[in-house]
Amino acid sequence: MIWWHSYILCGLEILLALLLLQICVIYIKWRLSPLQNLPGPRGKFFLIGDFLDIYFGPFFSVHQKWWKESNYAPLMSYTSLFGRWVVLPCDPDLVKHILTAPSAQEPVRYYKQFDFFKDMLGDGLISLEGKNWSRHRRILQPCFQTGLVKDALKEALPSKVDSIIESWKKSEGRVIDVYAHMSAITLDILGVVSFAHEFNALDTITEWANDSGADKIDEIQDPMMKSLSQVFKPKLVWIIMSMLKMGWLRRFDSKRNITKQLMDEAAEDIIKAAEENKSEMKKQSLIHIMLNAMSKDESQERNALSMQELKDELKLFIVAGHETTSTLCYWAFYALAKYPDVQEKVLQDIEKHAVSDEQIDLEAVEKMEYFLAFINECLRLTSPAGMLFRYNSRTENWNGAIIPAHTRIVIPIFLLHRHPKYWTDPYKFMPERWLNIDNGSGETKKRHPFTFLPFSGGGRNCIGERFARIEAQLILVNLIRRFQIKLAPSMQNTELEYRSSLTMKSKPRVQIVVKSR
């Protein structure tokens, strides 16, 4: 027994020595990194770095503080967990260099490494790299032609907007959870337009409106949405494991495995239903175009999708497709309620071009200069995606700054949209800055294109940008014309904190009350 104790103690001593050696190696690499010479926070314990401040603080609040303290440096660096350096390019020319680098050449110069997306949603446009990404993008791009998007939304959107209008009419004076309502309508529109599938999310809004005593909206019962709701609740422990390159351990998480199986089964059901009703559809939805692009044999794989690839893209489009639009609408309603003078100008612009009492169509919206300027200003100050991630596959020299290979790059959309060099009164909500008039701001439309990136930029810009913009515009104009929007009493004089999961929301969540005009 004494011998066994000696072996165990000896083993523990060896493990401790190896751990200490590894920590020493990490420290030396961290200390000697050329990124030490860049502006940014210093002085934190290198194994923890600035991770906790970032994780628990409001979205991008600490980055913004560092940026101001560095006098708006074009490039900063900071430390994440385990001595890992992160660089923050705040110069639009540098951001342009990163985002416009060839995306199909291998090895990819600036790659994404979206392990979490890949693990739960599979190989879709967001997580794919190089030639595989290029193949998917080429196959799917025809699904998002402007003409197809306009026609599809024109047919599917009016009935969904009518449904939420009726619910709001019944609920005048009641507190409306903007996130829940916008998530429901955008999900239902996406389901019909893209997948010929009824998520029936607006049923939960109707039930809430009919029950005057209901405080909360019931959970959406669709199998796909019930499983997806669990995907984007990553625990801190899994974030840390991912940073340690131990994300593969999630395969032993039974809850994760069940969720993934349910998602795949739900995706298969949607695809089967779309195949069965294809002949009955007046117009093909996105999924029908994708089904036409499915590979029939191995020789067609270059120009077609496999069944698994189709399922992965379907899951991705459901997540990204409704989250982006619902978040844009979420912040638009907050801006309307917070700035009554802006709301009045938006209303005047809408009424000027709304020729009848029927729902406003896209042709009328495209003439509304102030309303479209309002949308752009919402996207500037409250962009759904506040940042982008990249890694460099090789050592880079950025204007004399050496960036070691495989460094994490955080492209700060949140900061670029507030850059004082390119935006007058950058923290002021001012739709007039987007109008081609002399409004006293000193701004024109000739600003650097990479200071405004609500849908990313370069070759890997958002494939669904046009869809998201048109959908949000048509939802908003029809609701603004019919309702006066105010902040709920509980939110009066409340300062919101930006929070981010998949897209940027707030704490507390935005709540409004409406009154028919």
Side-chain angles (χ1 to χ4, degrees), residues 489-508:
S490 62
M491 295 201 69
Q492 298 293 335
N493 302 317
T494 298
E495 287 295 323
L496 299 185
E497 284 187 357
Y498 294 124
R499 294 287 174 177
S500 182
S501 53
L502 182 62
T503 55
M504 190 172 75
K505 300 294 195 313
S506 66
K507 182 181 179 181

Side-chain angles (χ1 to χ4, degrees), residues 464-476:
E465 174 180 357
R466 189 65 178 150
F467 182 98
R469 280 184 176 271
I470 294 174
E471 182 187 4
Q473 290 164 11
L474 291 173
I475 291 172
L476 289 167

Side-chain angles (χ1 to χ4, degrees), residues 116 119-120 238 246-253 256-257:
F116 179 77
D119 176 55
M120 295 306 296
W238 288 118
M246 298 175 68
W248 55 270
L249 287 173
R250 293 197 71 193
R251 297 172 188 171
F252 300 100
D253 183 347
R256 170 260 189 198
N257 294 334

Side-chain angles (χ1 to χ4, degrees), residues 15 18 33 59 65 166 197 248 295 304 328 338 375 405 414 428 437 452 500:
L15 285 174
L18 289 174
S33 172
F59 180 70
K65 175 176 173 289
E166 289 304 311
H197 177 76
W248 55 270
S295 56
L328 170 52
K338 185 175 181 181
I375 294 293
F414 188 91
K428 183 178 180 180
I437 59 174
F452 185 60
S500 182

Side-chain angles (χ1 to χ4, degrees), residues 50-63 66 78 80-81 233-240 243 498-500:
D50 301 284
F51 174 79
L52 295 180
D53 290 340
I54 294 171
Y55 184 81
F56 290 107
F59 180 70
F60 251 74
S61 60
V62 291
H63 304 80
W66 302 333
Y78 61 92
S80 186
L81 287 177
K233 296 178 180 178
K235 298 177 181 178
L236 178 60
V237 62
W238 288 118
I239 293 175
I240 294 173
M243 290 183 173
Y498 294 124
R499 294 287 174 177
S500 182

Side-chain angles (χ1 to χ4, degrees), residues 9 19 112 124 138 142 180 193 195 244-245 254 378 393 420 450 462 488:
L9 288 173
L19 178 61
K112 284 191 169 185
R138 174 170 44 80
V193 171
F195 309 116
L244 287 171
K245 304 294 183 183
S254 59
C378 291
S393 59
F450 283 79
C462 176

